[in-house]
Amino acid sequence: NAPLAQRLRLAMDGWGADEKAILQITKDASDAQKLELLKDTALVKRLASELSRENMLVVLANLNAPLALRLNTAMDGWGADEKAIFQITKDASDAQKVELLKDTALVKRLASELSRQNMLAVLANLKAPLPLRLNTAMDGWGADEKAILQLTKDATDTEKQEVLKDKALVARLKDQVSRETMIQTLTNLKSPLKDRIEVALSGWSSDEKAVVAILKNADP
């Protein structure tokens, strides 16, 4: 019945850590022992240096570690473990998701480490606000117009109104996406008819076909 920390240090002494023993020890530990271990930052740091990233993530899951610690661990080393990050955010509780979205530094790191497609999937897992997801779809080289159309199509009426009220976001959309995509985006958002027509009339020449279609499909 030795302290958990003592048993874990013993499992790391000598040539190479006994990863199998460490996984079992952390899995079988009581909630009180797990909490005590997580407070021992030096020991957690040593575990991270001795174990493979894959096994360290299992250990942190065994210990019910905070979501932020597990996600940062999944990004440490050579390349982020995108599969692990997706699963961690998918399985997180609603309270954990809200807490993570408040951690702007961590969200920023995730965006820098993940591909845009995977970052959008993570934000979907976290139930992130639509403006954040739309801005993410425009970050990097060229806007992901397909994602923008899907996001605005699936949005709730409340989310659509939130986007339309965000003048900076609407302006960025107009600047980043094609005119055709912008018209469809505004249609998805149920924007005022005049806004869609103005977009159709913008550019080097007006899109007369689009103007006709907008008027034809407008409500009486």
Side-chain angles (χ1 to χ4, degrees):
N1 298 318
L4 180 62
Q6 182 179 350
R7 295 167 62 191
L8 289 173
R9 288 190 177 94
L10 179 61
M12 290 185 285
D13 289 341
W15 291 98
D18 187 339
E19 300 201 1
K20 185 177 180 180
I22 292 169
L23 292 175
Q24 195 63 49
I25 291 169
T26 53
K27 180 181 179 182
D28 296 339
S30 66
D31 289 342
Q33 287 174 316
K34 292 176 181 181
L35 185 60
E36 190 65 26
L37 172 59
L38 288 171
K39 292 178 181 178
D40 190 338
T41 53
L43 181 54
V44 172
K45 187 176 180 180
R46 185 181 175 190
L47 283 165
S49 67
E50 295 277 356
L51 303 177
S52 66
R53 181 168 63 183
E54 182 181 2
N55 281 334
M56 185 60 190
L57 286 171
V58 175
V59 165
L60 291 175
N62 288 345
L63 297 174
N64 301 322
L67 183 61
L69 175 58
R70 295 167 64 189
L71 289 173
N72 274 308
T73 299
M75 291 185 283
D76 291 339
W78 291 99
D81 187 338
E82 301 201 358
K83 184 177 179 180
I85 291 169
F86 179 84
Q87 198 61 49
I88 291 169
T89 52
K90 180 181 179 182
D91 296 339
S93 66
D94 287 342
Q96 288 175 314
K97 292 175 181 181
V98 170
E99 193 64 27
L100 172 59
L101 288 171
K102 292 178 182 178
D103 189 340
T104 53
L106 181 54
V107 173
K108 186 176 180 179
R109 186 184 180 191
L110 284 165
S112 68
E113 295 277 355
L114 302 179
S115 66
R116 181 167 63 185
Q117 182 180 4
N118 283 334
M119 185 60 189
L120 286 170
V122 165
L123 290 176
N125 286 345
L126 296 174
K127 301 177 183 178
L130 184 57
L132 174 58
R133 295 164 70 184
L134 288 172
N135 274 306
T136 299
M138 291 185 283
D139 291 338
W141 291 99
D144 187 339
E145 300 196 3
K146 184 177 179 180
I148 290 169
L149 289 174
Q150 195 63 51
L151 287 169
T152 52
K153 180 182 178 182
D154 296 340
T156 64
D157 288 341
T158 300
E159 289 175 321
K160 291 176 181 181
Q161 286 302 311
E162 181 183 8
V163 171
L164 290 174
K165 290 178 182 178
D166 190 335
K167 301 302 182 183
L169 176 54
V170 173
R172 187 183 182 194
L173 283 165
K174 289 179 180 178
D175 184 60
Q176 294 282 326
V177 305
S178 67
R179 180 166 62 183
E180 180 183 2
T181 297
M182 190 62 199
I183 292 171
Q184 186 58 54
T185 296
L186 290 174
T187 301
N188 291 345
L189 295 172
K190 300 179 181 179
S191 72
L193 192 63
K194 67 179 184 65
D195 291 345
R196 285 176 260 170
I197 292 177
E198 285 176 357
V199 171
L201 296 175
S202 65
W204 289 102
S205 61
S206 60
D207 187 340
E208 297 185 7
K209 185 177 180 180
V211 173
V212 171
I214 291 169
L215 293 172
K216 180 180 179 181
N217 296 324
D219 293 332

